[in-house]
């Protein structure tokens, strides 16, 4: 484990809590010391939830360490069972409390005998997996637990009725959960997309779902996994046990949405003998592309053509970075100088997907490496997480947020999906506004909207260089969105030529040397 003041991906117990707290009627008991119980504050602050987060911390302190924690954990589980009456209580340790090497499975077995609720231990190795991997594993574990429990407790005839497919085509949406990037808005758009295709929504998990309804999952004709980070393990399990096909193509961007719809048509034709779906869905794709989505029109407008060839950096989770990279390159003609992700566990798939669409690939969870990469490339714009937004602000580079981790401003009260055909409009706006805002800032500076006084001496290297008044005035005339780049190039030229004073002549000489 490493300590950091910024983490792209949190510890495993955060992923477990995100999944458990997304279900209705599920309460999480976190076995942890003080300091690990920040999830409640983080969730309620970011999502502005009206209800209390269903997470309780069973604090490990010196008294607990002295006499053992079994009694306290069991007591907290039974107390929550009586107070909240949830369908399920999930016990999760943290990486800190895992050091104690306690038999938590035994704790759960004992608590289950005294509780009316189901009690489940989150089976996650806190030292080998991160937040997203733990979330994926926890969701699969809960689904497996309830399907196996149902099969064990009902008759053969009842079980056959439960796994009988719905009369009309239907789908489960798997992977929508709390603290995700625009997940709730994406869910609404996915429901609308499926409805337009004549497909009913069977279950949505974990967000808003009830564990008592998980027995209905096999009724669906197929599963839709919009985000690669969470839901694939559940899809693999359902495919293996119930022969349920799944769609794991993210419907983001015009090409991505069309590919997702075509995969659905292929599943319906090959697995359920529904003919002519491909033809019907192709007509739907054409209709939406021409008349509903504005992205295709925008890509051919003069505004988007002005962005052609611009150099950008894209960084975030694998799902949004892969989709955003392909959208920028294929649909808008923008050059992606670097595509990167912090999901190191999915590095091979990521490299395969972005190969040929980007100049270079960066896979790291160290924000300092991302900062150094952005400073080296000096892109016209950055698309990333909240961390890239802060990094870009430092270099005065415009940035659009396209991936978690995110801040409160990325939980808008209005409707802003990134998936489906409405999502194509949101993405087009985000890309265009991210670029133009930097240009507008430059215009404000030109017309005196901002204080244009320069702070030349910001570090030790700059303190050794003396800018003349004329040179500072010349630098202030340079557009704001490239001023820092010019400034660094001039200072680099002066250092290489052992100059201590920067004049206008030195600035022009530096420009000539760069060509």
């Amino acid at each position: 484990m490493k300590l950091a003041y910024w983490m792209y991906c949190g510890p495993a117990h955060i992923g477990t809590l995100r999944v458990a707290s997304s279900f209705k009627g599920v309460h999480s008991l976190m076995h942890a010391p003080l300091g690990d119980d920040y999830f409640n504050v983080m969730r309620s602050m970011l999502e502005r939830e009206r209800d209390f987060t269903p997470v309780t911390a069973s604090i490990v302190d010196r008294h607990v360490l002295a006499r053992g924690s079994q009694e306290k954990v069991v007591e907290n589980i039974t107390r929550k069972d009586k107070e909240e009456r949830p369908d399920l209580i999930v016990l999760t340790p943290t990486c800190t409390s895992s050091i104690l090497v306690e038999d938590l499975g035994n704790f759960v077995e004992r608590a289950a005998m005294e509780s009316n609720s189901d009690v489940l231990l989150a089976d996650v190795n806190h030292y080998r997996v991160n937040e997203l991997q733990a979330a994926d594993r926890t969701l699969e574990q809960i689904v497996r637990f309830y399907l196996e429990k149902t099969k064990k407790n009902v008759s053969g005839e009842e079980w056959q009725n439960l796994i009988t497919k719905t009369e009309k085509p239907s789908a489960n949406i798997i992977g929508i959960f709390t603290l995700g990037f625009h997940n709730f808005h994406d869910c609404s758009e996915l429901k609308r997309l499926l409805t337009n295709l004549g497909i009913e929504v069977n279950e949505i998990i974990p967000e808003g779902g009830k564990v008592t309804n998980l027995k209905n999952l096999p009724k669906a004709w197929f599963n839709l996994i919009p985000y690669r980070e969470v839901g694939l393990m559940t899809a693999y399990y359902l495919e293996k046990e119930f022969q349920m096909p799944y769609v794991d193509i993210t419907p983001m961007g015009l090409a991505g949405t069309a590919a997702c719809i075509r995969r659905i048509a292929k599943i319906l034709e090959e697995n359920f003998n529904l003919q002519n779906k491909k033809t019907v869905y192709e007509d739907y794709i054409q209709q939406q592309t021409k008349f509903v989505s504005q992205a295709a029109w925008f890509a051919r407008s003069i505004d988007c053509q002005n962005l052609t060839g611009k150099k950008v950096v894209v960084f975030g989770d694998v799902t949004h970075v892969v989709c955003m990279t392909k959208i920028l390159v294929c649909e808008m003609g923008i050059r992606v100088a670097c595509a990167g992700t912090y999901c190191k566990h999915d590095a091979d798939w990521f490299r395969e997907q972005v190969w040929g669409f980007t100049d270079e690939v960066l896979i790291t969870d160290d924000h300092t490496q991302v900062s150094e990469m952005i400073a080296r490339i000096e892109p016209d714009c950055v698309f990333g997480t909240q961390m890239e937004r802060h990094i870009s602000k430092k270099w005065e580079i415009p940035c659009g947020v396209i991936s978690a981790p995110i801040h409160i401003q990325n939980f808008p009260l209005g409707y802003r999906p990134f998936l489906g055909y409405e999502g194509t409009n949101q993405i087009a706006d985000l890309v265009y506004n991210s670029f133009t805002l930097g240009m507008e800032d430059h215009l404000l500076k030109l017309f005196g909207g901002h204080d244009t006084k320069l702070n030349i001496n910001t570090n030790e290297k700059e303190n050794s260089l003396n800018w003349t008044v004329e040179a500072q005035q010349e630098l202030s005339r340079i557009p704001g969105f490239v001023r820092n780049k010019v400034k660094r190039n001039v200072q680099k030229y002066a250092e290489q030529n052992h100059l201590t004073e920067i004049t206008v002549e030195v600035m022009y000489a530096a420009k000539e040397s760069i060509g």
Side-chain angles (χ1 to χ4, degrees), residues 245-262:
Y246 64 89
V247 178
D248 61 349
I249 299 176
T250 302
M252 184 172 168
L254 290 172
T257 304
C260 178
I261 294 173
R262 292 182 179 116

Side-chain angles (χ1 to χ4, degrees), residues 7-56:
M7 292 184 296
Y8 286 106
C9 212
H13 73 275
I14 296 298
T16 296
L17 296 178
R18 286 177 63 186
V19 167
S21 63
S22 295
F23 279 107
K24 288 183 178 178
V26 175
H27 197 93
S28 297
L29 188 72
M30 182 170 50
H31 183 49
L34 283 172
D36 283 353
D37 57 344
Y38 58 88
F39 177 78
N40 288 7
V41 176
M42 180 174 66
R43 183 174 184 263
S44 60
M45 177 189 73
L46 292 179
E47 293 202 343
R48 294 172 281 197
E49 283 285 319
R50 296 184 180 184
D51 300 324
F52 287 107
T53 303
V55 175
T56 299

Side-chain angles (χ1 to χ4, degrees), residues 13 16 20 26-31 73 77 88-94 97-98 101-112 117-126 134 137-142 145-146:
H13 73 275
T16 296
V26 175
H27 197 93
S28 297
L29 188 72
M30 182 170 50
H31 183 49
V73 170
I77 291 176
L88 172 67
I89 296 176
V90 177
L91 174 63
T92 177
T94 66
S97 62
S98 296
V101 196
E102 296 172 306
D103 188 3
L104 296 181
N106 181 266
F107 295 7
V108 166
E109 290 178 6
R110 180 178 164 187
S117 308
D118 293 318
V119 185
L120 183 66
L121 172 64
D123 184 17
V124 174
N125 188 320
H126 291 264
R137 172 71 181 112
T138 300
L139 180 58
E140 186 266 349
Q141 184 184 359
I142 293 175
F145 175 81
Y146 275 96

Side-chain angles (χ1 to χ4, degrees), residues 122-160:
D123 184 17
V124 174
N125 188 320
H126 291 264
Y127 291 98
R128 292 185 177 271
V129 301
N130 59 31
E131 173 184 346
L132 296 176
Q133 292 171 290
D136 201 14
R137 172 71 181 112
T138 300
L139 180 58
E140 186 266 349
Q141 184 184 359
I142 293 175
V143 170
R144 181 190 295 267
F145 175 81
Y146 275 96
L147 286 176
E148 291 180 353
K149 176 186 176 182
T150 301
K151 185 176 182 180
K152 181 180 178 180
N153 294 335
V154 301
S155 65
E157 183 179 352
E158 290 176 314
W159 178 248
Q160 287 301 318

